[in-house]
Amino acid sequence: IMHVFSSGNSGLQTSTSGLYSGLPQVANLTGNMKMSKNVLVIGGHFQDMTVDERNSRGPAYDGRVKPELIAFGPQGTSDAAAVVSGISLLLQDAYKNIHGRLPGIDLLKAVMVATADDAGPEGIDFITGFGAVNAYKAIRCIQGQSFRSGVLREGETLSFNIDIPSGISRLKVVIS
């Protein structure tokens, strides 16, 4: 089960507890479940890719990036979370059509992060996370099997080559 939560609409508020207490417009995610490690927290953006100032922001209480992604949410972060829930179902279906079984949630999350389009301030931040979810790129990643899955135990190593076509100036790698 992929747990998807909206970041909330408290972006203009100041946190009153925790490490970031008293810092305006920082670490004001609504609800404790959104601080969990194995959930996906989503902020919203408008059609022109601007982020509503009411979007709650990270980081999580322990400094992790939250929200992880943003998505189109014309009425707020709840709309955006619903969009990402639908995208995760499409990704699961694409994976199942190839492999005959559902993927792990860690893979879905990693694929959405890896294929997200940078948004807002350049790079990873506590407003837009790893960027704007891109359903087309995510499905292409699943269909093209542009990922590796496996488990490494303590002391083990894994090596493999990544073929990068000429002319590519940026490579995004996500380890989950």
Side-chain angles (χ1 to χ4, degrees), residues 6 8 10-11 18 38 41-42 70 72 78 83 95 101 122 127 152:
S6 69
S10 297
N38 296 319
V41 178
I42 307 299
I70 61 171
F72 180 59
S78 294
V83 167
Y95 186 94
R101 59 182 163 66
E122 187 174 341
I127 299 170
L152 288 178

Side-chain angles (χ1 to χ4, degrees), residues 3-165:
H3 295 281
V4 179
F5 293 101
S6 69
S7 63
N9 297 308
S10 297
L12 298 174
Q13 295 180 10
T14 300
S15 181
T16 58
S17 63
L19 283 173
Y20 307 99
S21 176
L23 295 175
Q25 300 178 1
V26 174
N28 52 22
L29 298 170
T30 60
N32 288 334
M33 286 299 294
K34 297 172 186 182
M35 300 296 168
S36 301
K37 291 182 180 179
N38 296 319
V39 301
L40 195 55
V41 178
I42 307 299
H45 68 75
F46 297 120
Q47 200 164 10
D48 65 358
M49 294 300 292
T50 58
V51 175
D52 189 327
E53 64 183 352
R54 296 173 301 155
N55 278 13
S56 294
R57 298 171 171 93
Y61 292 139
D62 61 1
R64 283 174 293 113
V65 173
K66 294 286 180 177
E68 285 89 358
L69 298 166
I70 61 171
F72 180 59
Q75 300 298 315
T77 60
S78 294
D79 283 359
V83 167
V84 173
S85 293
I87 291 170
S88 74
L89 288 173
L90 293 173
L91 294 175
Q92 289 177 55
D93 185 60
Y95 186 94
K96 187 175 181 182
N97 286 338
I98 296 167
H99 300 281
R101 59 182 163 66
L102 292 173
I105 299 307
D106 55 335
L107 176 64
L108 293 181
K109 190 173 177 181
V111 165
M112 284 192 268
V113 165
T115 58
D117 295 325
D118 194 27
E122 187 174 341
I124 302 164
D125 60 75
F126 297 124
I127 299 170
T128 62
F130 295 95
V133 69
N134 185 320
Y136 177 75
K137 283 184 187 176
I139 288 193
R140 294 285 309 240
C141 180
I142 294 287
Q143 291 172 335
Q145 300 185 60
S146 301
F147 55 86
R148 303 258 181 180
S149 293
V151 175
L152 288 178
R153 309 230 185 301
E154 187 174 339
E156 290 182 330
T157 60
L158 172 67
S159 298
F160 55 88
N161 294 321
I162 299 173
D163 294 320
I164 303 169

